[in-house]
Each structure stands twice: as C-alpha cells, then as structure tokens.
Amino acid sequence: METTPETRARMSRQKSRNTEVEIALRRALHAAGLRYRVHRKPLKGVRREADVLFGPAKVAVFVDGCFWHGCPEHATWPKTNADFWRTKIEGNRRRDMDTDERLESAGWLSVRIWEHEDPVKAAARVTALVRARRARSGPG
C-alpha cells in the first residue's frame, strides 16, 4: 500500500535535529559544566551524525525517537503500509547497531538516549561517562 500524501507531509514535518528532548539534554549537560559539539560526525568517511559529541573523551550521544528507532517500551507499528514501516524501522535499528559497532572499533563510546527518558537523568549518566573517560585519558 502506498503512503498517502497526508502521511508523507506529516512525517516530513517531524524534526530530526534540535528536538525538545535534545535541547533539554544539552541544557542539562551545559549546566553540569560540560562543553560539546552538536550534530557532528564522530568518524570521517562515515555518514552518521551524533546529536552531542565529546571529541577528546570520544563519547557520541544519540537521542533516538521512540517511533523511528523502535523503542522497546513505546514503539508503535503502523497498520497502514505496515511492511514499509517495519522495514524502515528495522533498518534504522540495524544502522544504529552498525554505528555503535563502528564507533566502538574506533575507540568511541556510543550512548543511546530514548526520547522518553528524563533529560536530567540522561545528562547525569552522560556526564559520569564523559568524566570517567576524561579521567582515564589524562589531562586535556
């Protein structure tokens, strides 16, 4: 079944950058004293962008939408054009796993945060990870 023009228009309006959750997370990270880059590629030659990037600590943070990334708690499977959406979402999940594996192979830590998570708690988790990695790598 073909996607309707209404559905296509609604989905195209979904923000992929600077969502409310991302901004709340960044504010909490900044309040914790961390500085970071926004929407950057951790690895050259790999067309994958982290939502928040801590270069020297090699921590890449991705804020994943429950629908688009198939959240185990909140994912919904559309009934209209079900095969298309299942293929799309499962493809996103495979790409996320591939991204995490590529980053790990290059010495990076990939942190996944679901859009439904409390941004302050998520920021505390990221802050602890970044500080631990900085402590291990020494000054700088």
Side-chain angles (χ1 to χ4, degrees):
M1 175 182 233
E2 187 94 12
T3 301
T4 66
E6 294 82 19
T7 300
R8 196 172 7 264
R10 185 175 66 251
M11 292 304 194
S12 71
R13 286 191 301 269
Q14 297 294 316
K15 288 178 79 171
S16 62
R17 301 174 130 214
N18 301 318
T19 63
E20 286 181 38
V21 178
E22 280 182 42
I23 291 169
L25 175 68
R26 294 192 318 237
R27 281 189 182 129
L29 291 168
H30 194 273
L34 297 180
R35 300 302 175 258
Y36 46 81
R37 301 281 182 190
V38 177
H39 299 291
R40 295 286 173 95
K41 295 176 189 173
L43 301 175
K44 289 185 187 328
V46 179
R47 293 183 53 207
R48 315 266 168 86
E49 210 176 71
D51 296 308
V52 179
L53 191 71
F54 298 90
K58 288 192 165 189
V59 175
V61 180
F62 300 88
V63 180
D64 292 339
C66 291
F67 174 78
W68 296 105
H69 296 267
C71 169
E73 287 182 50
H74 301 107
T76 57
W77 297 102
K79 292 181 182 29
T80 304
N81 214 357
D83 289 339
F84 168 82
W85 287 111
R86 183 164 294 275
T87 300
K88 170 73 174 148
I89 293 165
E90 288 176 353
N92 289 347
R93 292 167 111 175
R94 280 191 301 276
R95 187 186 64 237
D96 292 344
M97 285 191 303
D98 179 66
T99 298
D100 294 347
E101 290 168 4
R102 287 174 184 243
L103 289 172
E104 185 179 359
S105 294
W108 285 78
L109 175 63
S110 179
V111 180
R112 298 255 167 211
I113 297 178
W114 289 108
E115 71 175 331
H116 67 263
E117 287 186 60
D118 177 298
V120 173
K121 289 180 182 174
R125 187 172 49 145
V126 171
T127 299
L129 292 167
V130 169
R131 289 188 174 146
R133 287 181 67 97
R134 284 180 179 167
R136 259 191 291 146
S137 65

